[in-house]
Amino acid sequence: MLAVQKAKELTKNAETDMEKVKTIYDYVTGNITYDDKKINSLASDYVPVIDEILAKQSGICYDYSALYAAMLRSINVPAKLVMGYRSDINTYHAWNQVYLKEQGKWVTIDTTYDSTLRQEGSATSMIKDEGDYKVDKIY
């Protein structure tokens, strides 16, 4: 898979899981854009195809979180794809929980949310307040 190759390429010099997580986060939030039109044409059984997202460089929140989880998992960083709601988003949403070995805990990371902020020129913290999220499903 191209996404696996890209993850290995991006993190070849990273020494810690945090460095790997941040490097891939920076890549995803800096290179993938939100596809406003895609959400309206999806079938109810839609499942992201990781390499298509990487090739098109766009997607919806499900795509972002699937790509991020796959890239992290491919380099042995535990990651969950989570679905539910964010306090300031009025629709169903997807994000990730990532295990940071150095800190010994799971953290919430939302590449879709941060990608949009980054493209608008706004700064944001990679690690989110889990209180802003209501989990419905975890994969």
Side-chain angles (χ1 to χ4, degrees):
M1 291 178 67
L2 296 174
V4 170
Q5 293 171 356
K6 188 66 171 174
K8 287 179 182 175
E9 172 193 323
L10 289 169
T11 61
K12 66 183 175 199
N13 296 320
E15 295 181 12
T16 66
D17 281 359
M18 180 57 124
E19 288 177 26
K20 293 174 185 178
V21 166
K22 178 76 166 100
T23 299
I24 294 175
Y25 166 87
D26 287 342
Y27 177 80
V28 171
T29 60
N31 292 283
I32 309 297
T33 58
Y34 193 83
D35 185 344
D36 294 309
K37 296 175 186 165
K38 184 174 185 175
I39 194 74
N40 296 321
S41 62
L42 291 180
S44 61
D45 61 349
Y46 173 75
V47 176
V49 177
I50 304 303
D51 284 343
E52 284 181 19
I53 299 157
L54 193 62
K56 290 180 181 177
Q57 300 281 292
S58 68
I60 59 170
C61 59
Y62 191 11
D63 298 327
Y64 277 85
S65 56
L67 177 62
Y68 192 57
M71 291 177 83
L72 290 175
R73 290 170 180 170
S74 76
I75 55 167
N76 300 315
V77 175
K80 301 174 189 177
L81 187 155
V82 185
M83 295 180 144
Y85 299 91
R86 181 178 158 92
S87 60
D88 61 348
I89 297 175
N90 295 328
T91 59
Y92 205 58
H93 187 54
W95 64 92
N96 300 96
Q97 291 176 344
V98 178
Y99 188 75
L100 298 177
K101 202 177 346 182
E102 297 87 4
Q103 296 180 17
K105 66 178 182 177
W106 288 92
V107 296
T108 299
I109 298 177
D110 191 338
T111 53
T112 310
Y113 194 83
D114 292 354
S115 175
T116 303
L117 288 173
R118 185 173 178 173
Q119 290 164 23
E120 293 172 351
S122 300
T124 186
S125 173
M126 178 178 75
I127 297 174
K128 302 294 179 221
D129 179 350
E130 68 182 61
D132 290 336
Y133 295 83
K134 181 179 178 213
V135 175
D136 182 38
K137 297 176 183 168
I138 299 176
Y139 301 96

